[in-house]
Amino acid sequence: MRAEPTCPRCGRAVHAPDLWSSAWQCDVHGPVAPLQAVRRPGEAGLQRLLGIAQVPVWIPWPLPSGWVVTGFADAGDDRTGALGAAVALSGPAPLGGVGELVITAEDPGIGLGARLAGLPGPDPGPTFGNSAPDGKVRHEGHEIALWSVDAGKECAVYVGEALAHWLWFVLSPADCGVLMCEITAVRDLRDLHDGGVALEPPFGAPSPFLDAALRPAPEG
């Protein structure tokens, strides 16, 4: 049995739609796209996400050497589909140890990317995009500009806009941000679901970063 949905912005329990509202409600943030329980890495979790995603399901491609997919998360319900989708990856950090990366696509206002980055959210903030971009990735021949967002010492965060949705790269630990020099292109895994060129992303053990970042808030 899957855990009950929570608020994508704060992790609190949410109230299901009722006779007066078709939206899930957070006591703090009002109407929200409910965050579903983290999905384990594997073909079953991927196919379930691809079947409901209303936003891109991004993955770096080619993957950095030694990196694997380690989990999925999504915000939305049966009525809306997934309005936010996150793919977690783990692998050798460029400066040693194990690195974690979560790539999120979401509609404005969802708040999943900001939650993973440890920001108050729901979006990157008023200063986003006011300077020259700090990096770029390519998708099907088009460049996507990325800006570094200050998230403190815990993570390196890069945000851009792609296909009319936010695109977040959240890397942990922060010095894993140098991996962005190696990530040059992304693919939308929905292409697999629609019969596009076959990709076979490798899967690994569940991501501890994704589980910790999206752990439900304690009651009370």
Side-chain angles (χ1 to χ4, degrees):
M1 180 179 295
R2 289 181 62 80
E4 292 297 319
T6 58
C7 175
R9 296 181 59 180
C10 67
R12 290 177 172 84
V14 289
H15 306 291
D18 54 27
L19 293 176
W20 294 273
S21 174
S22 61
W24 291 76
Q25 299 282 336
C26 170
D27 288 338
V28 173
H29 295 112
V32 296
L35 177 65
Q36 307 299 325
V38 171
R39 301 182 189 277
R40 295 179 61 84
E43 191 64 27
L46 173 58
Q47 291 302 323
R48 171 59 181 160
L49 179 56
L50 293 178
I52 60 176
Q54 304 300 308
V55 295
V57 180
W58 295 117
I59 187 173
W61 202 263
L63 288 175
S65 178
W67 282 67
V68 294
V69 175
T70 52
F72 309 99
D74 56 273
D77 59 21
D78 292 339
R79 178 178 58 88
T80 65
L83 304 179
V87 178
L89 303 102
S90 302
L95 302 184
V98 176
E100 301 272 357
L101 165 63
V102 183
I103 305 179
T104 302
E106 62 183 352
D107 285 351
I110 298 298
L112 177 56
R115 167 96 173 278
L116 289 163
L119 300 173
D123 299 319
T127 62
F128 170 78
N130 289 345
S131 61
D134 298 297
K136 295 179 181 179
V137 292
R138 297 185 67 83
H139 174 246
E140 295 186 347
H142 300 283
E143 287 189 339
I144 303 169
L146 300 171
W147 283 264
S148 176
V149 175
D150 185 7
K153 298 180 180 180
E154 300 299 323
C155 299
V157 180
Y158 292 84
V159 187
E161 295 180 73
L163 305 180
H165 308 286
W166 288 125
L167 167 60
W168 296 76
F169 289 79
V170 178
L171 302 104
S172 178
D175 59 18
C176 200
V178 299
L179 187 72
M180 294 302 297
C181 296
E182 186 176 344
I183 296 174
T184 59
V186 292
R187 293 287 299 271
D188 182 355
L189 288 175
R190 293 182 301 173
D191 292 344
L192 296 180
H193 189 65
D194 294 334
V197 177
L199 302 179
E200 296 182 357
F203 299 106
S207 165
F209 176 81
L210 189 65
D211 282 335
L214 299 182
R215 186 172 294 128
E219 296 183 5

